[in-house]
Structures are given as C-alpha cells and as structure tokens.
Amino acid sequence: MLPTPYVKCDYSKVYEPSEDSFLLLDALEEDKQYLQQKFQNQLAVVCELGPGSGIVTTFLMQNEIPIKNSLYFAVDINPWALETTLDTAKRNSCEKYFMDPVRSSLCSSFRNNEIDLLVFNPPYVPAEEVPLIPKSKEYIDEWLDLALLGGKDGMDVTQIVLDNLNQTLSTKGIAYILFCARNKPEEVVKLMKKKYNWDSKLIVHRKAGWEVLSVYRFYKDI
Amino acid sequence: MKFLTTNFLKCSVRTCDTSNDSFPLQYDGSKCELVQDESIELNPEFLLNILDRVDWDAVLSVAADLGNTTLPPNKPVFSSTSVDELNEDEQAVLRDLHVLLVQTNIVEGEMKCKNCGHIYYIKNSIPNLLLPPHLA
C-alpha cells in the first residue's frame, strides 16, 4: 500500500478527508502502473478539481503519479482549500514537486486540451440546488456546503465537468471521477459513451455507511 | 504562482474562448512582484519534457511583460534528449530556463485578458481566475 499524506488542518474551513477521499486514493493507486505506462517519457499535466485539504494532490506528488515528470495544479473555488493544499504539500515535504494552486471555477481558466490527468471528488450530495459562491472568505460554513451539495441527483457540478471533458483534456487525457449511488453513475457513463464517445471503467467501489461510492476512469483509446 | 503556470492559464470568460487574445494573459510588470524560489532542483529531463510542451510565443510574451526581453525568439532546440550528451552551452540554456520557468514565482500581481480586458489578481502567490457573478 502506498503511503497516505499526513493531513492536519482546520476542518471547519475545508472538507475533512473521508471515505470518499480515501476511495479516490485507492483508485489512483490501483491504476498507478496503467498511468505510468500511458505517460512515460513525457510531461504529464495533472489537475485536481476541489482539492479541499490537498490530500489527493499531495498523494499524487508523494507517489509520483502518474509519472515523476508531472506538473500539478490544484483548482478550487474555496480560498481556504488552496491555502490548505499548499500547507499539506509542505507538511509532506513535497516542495520539490511542481504544484500551483489556482482559484478558478472548474477548468474555465485552463487552456483547452492541455490537461492529461484530471481528478475530481465532486460535491455529489443531492440537494435542491448548488449553493452560490459565498460573498466573503469569512463565511466559513457556506464554503463547506459548496464542497458537498451537488444539486439535482448530486450531478449539477459533475455534469459540467463531464460535458467539457473534450475541451479540457489532451488527446491522451484521462479523468478519475468519484460518484455516489444516487448520482446514478451507470447511466452517466452510458451517456458519456453515447454523447461524447468516452470509454469508462469502474476502478473501485465501496459501501461507506449508507452511501455506495465508486470511482470511474474516463478515457479514450487511441 | 510559478512562471510556467502562465503557459496554462487563459481568461475564464467563456466568450473569450474563440479569441486568440485570451491566452496568454497580459501581466502588468509594474504591479508584479517576483521572488526566486529554489525548492525545486534542476532536473534536465523534466525541463526538456516541459520544453516539448510549452507555447514559446506565450513564454516570450509573459517574459516581456515582466521586463525580460533577452530570450531567444525561437524555442531552444537541443542536440540530444539525453542530458549527458548536451554540450556546455546547452546545459547553460537549460539552467537559465529552469530559473525562469520553474524558480520564478509571481507572488503578487495582476494580469488582464487582451480580448475582454478583465483584470485578474495574484495574491500570496495564488492566482484568482474566479469571475464575478455577472460574468460567470
């Protein structure tokens, strides 16, 4: 088993690493060799959306996933998450890796077709709507809601990312996205094939309390 | 934010996507504070991989914004992809590129989209590309 980053931060401001975060780490560990082969001898541009505490991006750096020569971008709306991600990277002696946090709404500020590996643990909890962006950095509870609530079927935010995958990812690009059962992932992946010709593979799934969580890999074999 | 990151960031405004002016952003040299950060060591193989990927015109544009007009007009080419076979001049170029692309941090600053004119800020090394609600 690969080492897990040491995380110590204020969980009133950022999402505390939980079953879903750990499942995502397991999926990336499971696919470590696949990713290494896919990107060997080149540069890999990695982007994590919604890093929260920074545990996933730090895990990727620590374990040189997908490859040693990677650039890491951690993208979040929540300013606390970006500061915490930097801090978590530091606590785990990852300063020697290339990582920049970027405050942005999903991938809207990234040049099209430049990201090789996209990782996303989205706000997947079904809710009436996705909360608005808090007006101030100090409205701490509102920032946390934003990390959880995903609107109808919990899919409002994830669907934006999926619908933009063709523009976001490079020709070799791969995405790992976490779902809960109420997101109806089996239907989502079928539609991704039909609408955009994205293949997908269920990498890991696990019952976590009353939720069933799964991580799918989206890819195109070329 | 590291200099190299400027090679990946564009204007967030959706309608700017169809314009060639939304990338790279235009950095305001008079308002950008640069700090050298040496925590990432020179790894020639990594840098050669990076060079494969970078948009050199965008590197030139941002470097000029920040007051550096000494870069070669064309992307440097190297005689070998194996580091040991590079000559001394090439190794010196790699060192310079490492200092520029990887070790130069913009810790405070602002930049704007050459298409729509929207201004973005960098604070505490973190660029903020979030749009106000009326533009999002």
Side-chain angles (χ1 to χ4, degrees):
Chain A
M1 222 178 106
L2 299 175
T4 306
Y6 168 66
V7 181
K8 183 170 181 284
C9 55
D10 183 349
Y11 298 126
S12 66
K13 293 172 178 157
V14 296
Y15 184 67
E16 179 173 359
S18 310
E19 293 283 356
D20 49 357
S21 326
F22 297 119
L23 191 69
L24 193 50
L25 299 190
D26 289 349
L28 292 159
E29 175 166 354
E30 176 78 27
D31 261 9
K32 188 172 191 278
Q33 267 196 315
Y34 166 85
L35 289 168
Q36 197 158 15
Q37 275 168 9
K38 187 108 184 167
F39 295 110
Q40 61 184 346
N41 301 324
Q42 51 180 309
L43 180 77
V45 178
V46 181
C47 176
E48 186 193 1
L49 297 175
S53 64
I55 184 172
V56 177
T57 289
T58 304
F59 176 82
L60 293 174
M61 291 193 280
Q62 243 178 12
N63 296 295
E64 301 185 339
I65 299 172
I67 45 169
K68 190 164 164 257
N69 294 340
S70 302
L71 306 178
Y72 298 92
F73 297 109
V75 175
D76 210 302
I77 277 189
N78 179 350
W80 301 106
L82 300 170
E83 290 171 19
T84 310
T85 297
L86 272 178
D87 187 58
T88 299
K90 221 177 246 169
R91 277 178 200 277
N92 291 275
S93 312
C94 286
E95 296 103 323
K96 60 178 188 235
Y97 295 101
F98 188 108
M99 192 271 282
D100 260 341
V102 175
R103 191 162 182 225
S104 163
S105 175
L106 305 175
C107 291
S108 59
S109 59
F110 278 80
R111 262 171 82 200
N112 290 338
N113 304 115
E114 287 294 338
I115 294 167
D116 299 306
L117 174 61
L118 185 78
V119 179
F120 191 23
N121 179 4
Y124 58 76
V125 179
E128 263 179 45
E129 52 194 18
V130 175
L132 293 174
I133 298 175
K135 288 204 168 64
S136 151
K137 192 179 170 185
E138 307 309 319
Y139 298 162
I140 293 167
D141 298 344
E142 296 184 27
W143 288 112
L144 266 191
D145 281 347
L146 214 58
L148 297 175
L149 305 179
K152 186 171 183 295
D153 292 336
M155 276 300 292
D156 283 0
V157 182
T158 308
Q159 197 60 53
I160 297 174
V161 172
L162 292 173
D163 286 336
N164 284 302
L165 227 44
N166 279 331
Q167 288 100 280
T168 306
L169 293 181
S170 67
T171 42
K172 285 192 128 182
I174 297 173
Y176 289 85
I177 299 180
L178 184 134
F179 296 89
C180 77
R182 288 177 295 166
N183 300 149
K184 303 174 188 156
E186 293 90 348
E187 288 174 35
V188 172
V189 300
K190 265 185 218 153
L191 211 59
M192 280 302 283
K193 180 68 184 169
K194 205 172 137 196
K195 265 168 93 178
Y196 305 112
N197 203 28
W198 280 99
D199 288 313
S200 57
K201 186 182 175 198
L202 174 64
I203 305 297
V204 281
H205 66 112
R206 186 175 299 156
K207 199 162 178 291
W210 44 273
E211 277 176 330
V212 178
L213 302 172
S214 53
V215 177
Y216 283 83
R217 180 220 294 159
F218 293 87
Y219 62 102
K220 280 185 180 171
D221 268 327
I222 38 164
Chain B
M1 132 178 145
K2 298 164 184 60
F3 186 103
L4 181 58
T5 299
T6 67
N7 217 268
F8 293 91
L9 297 182
K10 67 170 179 68
C11 180
S12 304
V13 176
R14 192 169 269 269
T15 50
C16 287
D17 262 11
T18 51
S19 161
N20 289 331
D21 289 332
S22 63
F23 170 81
L25 297 167
Q26 185 172 42
Y27 293 75
D28 183 337
S30 68
K31 291 186 175 137
C32 286
E33 187 190 331
L34 306 182
V35 169
Q36 292 301 125
D37 177 352
E38 288 169 12
S39 33
I40 304 178
E41 282 174 23
L42 172 62
N43 168 353
E45 181 197 296
F46 181 41
L47 210 57
L48 288 172
N49 286 340
I50 288 174
L51 276 177
D52 260 357
R53 222 16 216 273
V54 294
D55 180 320
W56 187 252
D57 287 338
V59 170
L60 290 176
S61 162
V62 177
D65 289 347
L66 300 175
N68 180 348
T69 52
T70 62
L71 297 173
N74 296 311
K75 195 193 278 194
V77 279
F78 295 87
S79 58
S80 167
T81 48
S82 158
V83 180
D84 305 330
E85 291 169 17
L86 296 179
N87 63 40
E88 255 176 54
D89 285 350
E90 291 176 316
Q91 295 197 7
V93 172
L94 272 190
R95 274 195 299 275
D96 286 350
L97 286 172
H98 176 70
V99 169
L100 175 72
L101 299 173
V102 177
Q103 294 193 327
T104 302
N105 272 268
I106 310 175
V107 292
E108 300 286 325
E110 60 178 75
M111 61 277 199
K112 77 170 181 197
C113 171
K114 282 177 276 187
N115 186 53
C116 72
H118 188 74
I119 295 178
Y120 300 97
Y121 297 89
I122 301 166
K123 286 198 176 101
N124 290 321
S125 294
I126 301 178
N128 183 358
L129 282 294
L130 210 55
L131 295 169
H134 70 278
L135 285 175

